[in-house]
Amino acid sequence: MPFIAAIIGYITKRAAIEMMFRPLRFVGIWDPFLGWQGVVPRNSARMIRTSAQLITGKLIDPQEIADRLDPDEVARQIQGPLLMTIDEIARDIMERYHPQLWEMLPVLAQDLIIKQVQAGAPVMVRKIMHEVRTNIGEVLDVEQVAVNALERDKELLVRLTRDISRPEMAFIARCGIYFGFALGLVQTFVWALTHEPLILPIFGATIGWITDWLAIKLVFFPRERRRVLGIFPFQGVFQRRRLQVARQYGDLVAREVMTVPNIIDGILRGPKSDRLLTMIQRIVQKTVDEQASIAKPFVAVAVGTRRFQEMKHAAADKAMTYLDHTAMQAEPYASKALDIGNTIAEKMNRLTREEYEGLLRPAFRQDEWKLIAVGAAIGALVGELQVLLLLG
């Protein structure tokens, strides 16, 4: 009986663990009453918002991150692709708005115009970077970047939660064996005294319920290191692994959530992007105006002042379509300079015990009773099977 009870304890824990994460989508007849969806996927909207608020409220300061980018270095990183882009845009605009004029110009004259516009590229990049760094809070919603990344890939939240909690999940499964065996000894004693068949399913349900509840609690509590019986040191498994979790979580967020592509997308397409895009268009138009000074009188006379203004607007609009590709050329430098993984790990170690617990605890809290109830039901079912075996 103790060994069967240990098996019950282990099975109920494994079932609870799998039910935390699977299935990703509801499987059943009547949502949410007849069927099941993994606890984490089921509560993904709430958990995504909670995770995003933790990341942006406690772990990442947009201004601190933005200040790490050197505008001169960014300009150097994207210089090659940027010059090629300017060349392509300039030729396209000239050929579109005045093909006859452009074709009449000697090749050297065409190159001179393009190189003059290209000469302002580094200054333009520095101006844009200065605006972004100075007004980062007004052009980037970091929380929305995190939310978008987690919502875009529903499996990402599951993977994020599961990866940082693997040791805790293994601990819960082991607890099922130890606690189940201990309760099985009590069950054996009671059975020897009574030989009452009802004892087995009752103890099975009790083993499933108590071991599930106790295992989940021991993941988080006690928060502070204590001594059991004044001898054995003990602390909640998740609290005890704080340094390791901080490093792992920081790496995961830097690799999967707060990536350079996601941040760039948040700047260019996020809820606060309008102001930045308007500013970039203004800077591009001004740069074109300044650097085309040699050919400006000639072009203005040939195509007209109004047409020349249209050309500048068209050049700025076309430049916007190249922003993603051009900015991504600086990704290796930006990833290293931002150092998001180490930043998150460092700040996680400054969180209070309760704040740190909030990293994983929401995955259990709301539907914890369901996991425990399922453990009890499985335990009772195994107890019934024991009765059939003993009486058969």
Side-chain angles (χ1 to χ4, degrees):
M1 284 187 184
F3 292 102
I4 292 178
I7 293 173
I8 294 174
Y10 180 77
I11 291 174
T12 56
K13 300 307 151 297
R14 292 307 313 177
I17 291 168
E18 292 304 313
M19 290 174 68
M20 283 283 297
F21 305 104
R22 298 180 183 176
L24 288 174
R25 293 169 180 81
F26 179 81
V27 175
I29 301 172
W30 182 17
D31 187 6
F33 303 104
L34 294 177
W36 185 259
Q37 183 181 11
V39 173
V40 173
R42 182 80 182 175
N43 298 291
S44 61
R46 175 177 55 83
M47 290 188 62
I48 285 172
R49 184 60 60 180
T50 299
S51 298
Q53 288 173 349
L54 175 65
I55 291 170
T56 59
K58 300 290 185 181
L59 305 179
I60 293 180
D61 178 359
Q63 191 62 60
E64 175 189 348
I65 296 297
D67 287 343
R68 295 175 182 173
L69 293 175
D70 180 2
D72 292 331
E73 184 60 33
V74 172
R76 280 193 292 271
Q77 292 289 326
I78 69 174
Q79 182 175 354
L82 181 61
L83 295 180
M84 293 176 61
T85 297
I86 292 174
D87 184 293
E88 182 176 341
I89 291 173
R91 294 180 187 278
D92 178 74
I93 295 299
M94 291 299 296
E95 290 171 1
R96 189 198 316 173
Y97 279 84
H98 212 302
Q100 296 88 354
L101 172 64
W102 186 248
E103 290 174 3
M104 288 173 55
L105 291 174
V107 175
L108 289 177
Q110 292 179 358
D111 290 344
L112 178 63
I113 292 173
I114 291 172
K115 290 185 183 302
Q116 186 67 22
V117 176
Q118 287 176 330
V123 176
M124 179 179 66
V125 172
R126 285 193 288 270
K127 286 180 180 178
I128 293 173
M129 285 300 302
H130 175 73
E131 289 284 345
V132 171
R133 290 177 61 184
T134 303
N135 305 289
I136 188 65
E138 298 178 20
V139 300
L140 176 63
D141 187 336
V142 180
E143 182 175 326
Q144 194 60 46
V145 171
V147 169
N148 289 344
L150 293 169
E151 286 182 340
R152 195 160 44 240
D153 181 3
K154 295 294 184 181
E155 295 185 22
L156 176 56
L157 178 65
V158 173
R159 191 163 63 251
L160 195 64
T161 306
R162 190 159 200 164
D163 284 355
I164 66 170
S165 64
R166 286 188 186 279
E168 283 69 36
M169 299 300 112
F171 171 79
I172 288 175
R174 290 195 304 271
C175 282
I177 298 174
Y178 305 145
F179 297 153
F181 187 85
L183 290 172
L185 292 175
V186 179
Q187 179 188 32
T188 302
F189 178 74
V190 174
W191 169 260
L193 291 178
T194 64
H195 288 279
E196 172 58 54
L198 196 59
I199 289 295
L200 299 180
I202 290 176
F203 261 88
T206 302
I207 291 169
W209 183 282
I210 292 177
T211 54
D212 272 19
W213 176 83
L214 191 57
I216 291 174
K217 293 301 179 185
L218 290 178
V219 167
F220 302 102
F221 301 100
R223 293 190 178 111
E224 301 291 344
R225 191 176 180 86
R226 297 179 183 175
R227 291 191 175 274
V228 179
L229 302 176
I231 302 174
F232 306 105
F234 186 75
Q235 187 179 17
V237 179
F238 192 60
Q239 295 287 357
R240 191 166 66 240
R241 288 198 319 117
R242 182 169 179 145
L243 292 176
Q244 179 185 349
V245 170
R247 168 57 53 196
Q248 187 178 10
Y249 189 75
D251 289 343
L252 282 168
V253 171
R255 188 173 66 248
E256 304 273 8
V257 182
M258 300 304 298
T259 64
V260 171
N262 287 347
I263 292 173
I264 291 175
D265 185 75
I267 291 176
L268 299 182
R269 300 182 184 84
K272 299 182 178 183
S273 63
D274 289 349
R275 181 182 182 280
L276 177 67
L277 297 181
T278 301
M279 178 269 295
I280 291 176
Q281 287 180 318
R282 174 173 51 80
I283 292 176
V284 170
Q285 291 178 33
K286 185 177 180 181
T287 302
V288 170
D289 211 20
E290 292 173 349
Q291 300 305 316
S293 56
I294 292 178
K296 182 178 177 182
F298 169 71
V299 175
V301 170
V303 303
T305 303
R306 185 180 63 81
R307 192 104 170 128
F308 182 64
Q309 293 298 322
E310 291 178 1
M311 291 172 64
K312 288 196 300 181
H313 284 286
D317 291 339
K318 192 170 183 62
M320 302 300 290
T321 65
Y322 287 86
L323 279 176
D324 275 14
H325 173 73
T326 305
M328 282 303 298
Q329 304 306 309
E331 181 181 8
Y333 160 72
S335 296
K336 184 177 180 180
L338 296 180
D339 197 21
I340 289 176
N342 286 327
T343 300
I344 289 177
E346 179 184 342
K347 292 192 175 182
M348 275 185 66
N349 289 318
R350 301 178 193 170
L351 297 177
T352 66
R353 297 288 184 185
E354 291 79 4
E355 289 171 339
Y356 168 72
E357 181 183 308
L359 187 67
L360 185 61
R361 184 65 170 157
F364 291 88
R365 185 175 287 117
Q366 183 163 321
D367 290 323
E368 186 175 295
W369 69 271
K370 294 180 183 178
L371 300 176
I372 296 172
V374 168
I378 294 175
L381 179 61
V382 176
E384 287 289 349
L385 293 176
Q386 282 184 283
V387 172
L388 294 175
L389 290 173
L390 289 172
L391 298 181

